[in-house]
Amino acid sequence: MSDCIFCKIANGEIPSATLYEDDDFRVILDLGPASKGHALILPKSHAANIYELPEELAGKAMILAKKMAGKMTEVLKCDGFNIVQNNGEIAGQTVFHFHMHLIPRYEGDQVKLGWTPGTLTDEVRDELLEKLK
Ligand code: 5GP
Ligand code: ZN
């Protein structure tokens, strides 16, 4: 993907504040951080979203997220941690190259993630079980 900014960053064509790199991934600091230490896991090969991401890379990305969360929590002394991954504009995706957000959380921070809980009706539960199970 010649016009994809995260392809260029992941493959080192555009410099970035890199926390970690291996053959498959680069982990960079987000330029618009939600909190101190907010980082992004970028695969080096292009996949627009989780639907396009090969299973093998999906597995490796989760293992890397776990490693980064452990190290960042130890070093930054954060109080909690969110791992966020958006797919599609409606879901908040703005860069269409798969990435995982690593967001350290601190007591009293102003990070806003979340939703207003609805109600799972019997009808919808049964419909979803029938279609998805
Ligand atoms: P999304 O909304 O697609 O899940 O997340 C995109 C993220 O990429 C945002 O948090 C945004 O701040 C970050 N971002 C966008 N462009 C750049 C860039 O050129 N460099 C870095 N380091 N982060 C970027
Ligand atoms: Zn890309």
Side-chain angles (χ1 to χ4, degrees), residues 5-6 9 14-17 28-34 38 40 42 84-87 91-97 99 101:
I5 185 153
F6 279 6
I9 291 173
I14 294 177
S16 62
I28 63 168
L29 290 177
D30 195 298
L31 276 186
H38 181 172
L40 302 170
L42 311 181
V84 177
Q85 200 279 306
N86 301 322
N87 299 283
Q93 187 175 12
T94 58
V95 180
F96 294 89
H97 175 122
H99 52 280
H101 293 262

Side-chain angles (χ1 to χ4, degrees), residues 24-25 41 43 45 47 49-66 83 85 98 100:
D24 297 313
F25 298 99
I41 295 179
S45 57
N49 48 43
I50 196 157
Y51 310 111
E52 290 186 6
L53 188 71
E55 275 190 8
E56 193 196 340
L57 277 182
K60 286 181 176 175
M62 196 64 210
I63 291 167
L64 179 54
K66 175 179 166 52
I83 293 172
Q85 200 279 306
F98 176 92
M100 291 170 86

Side-chain angles (χ1 to χ4, degrees), residues 4 7 46 97:
C4 173
C7 275
H46 184 83
H97 175 122

Side-chain angles (χ1 to χ4, degrees), residues 29-131:
L29 290 177
D30 195 298
L31 276 186
S35 68
K36 185 178 177 184
H38 181 172
L40 302 170
I41 295 179
L42 311 181
K44 290 187 173 179
S45 57
H46 184 83
N49 48 43
I50 196 157
Y51 310 111
E52 290 186 6
L53 188 71
E55 275 190 8
E56 193 196 340
L57 277 182
K60 286 181 176 175
M62 196 64 210
I63 291 167
L64 179 54
K66 175 179 166 52
K67 286 185 179 152
M68 292 303 303
K71 176 161 187 191
M72 291 167 73
T73 299
E74 196 182 311
V75 172
L76 299 172
K77 313 264 184 262
C78 56
D79 304 302
F81 211 91
N82 289 115
I83 293 172
V84 177
Q85 200 279 306
N86 301 322
N87 299 283
E89 213 172 326
I90 187 64
Q93 187 175 12
T94 58
V95 180
F96 294 89
H97 175 122
F98 176 92
H99 52 280
M100 291 170 86
H101 293 262
L102 305 172
I103 306 177
R105 299 300 303 272
Y106 305 91
E107 295 290 348
D109 71 28
Q110 300 299 308
V111 178
K112 285 187 183 45
L113 300 166
W115 54 87
T116 306
T119 304
L120 179 62
T121 62
D122 292 352
E123 190 189 356
V124 171
R125 177 200 61 205
D126 292 347
E127 179 200 335
L128 294 173
L129 286 173
E130 190 183 314
K131 288 183 178 165

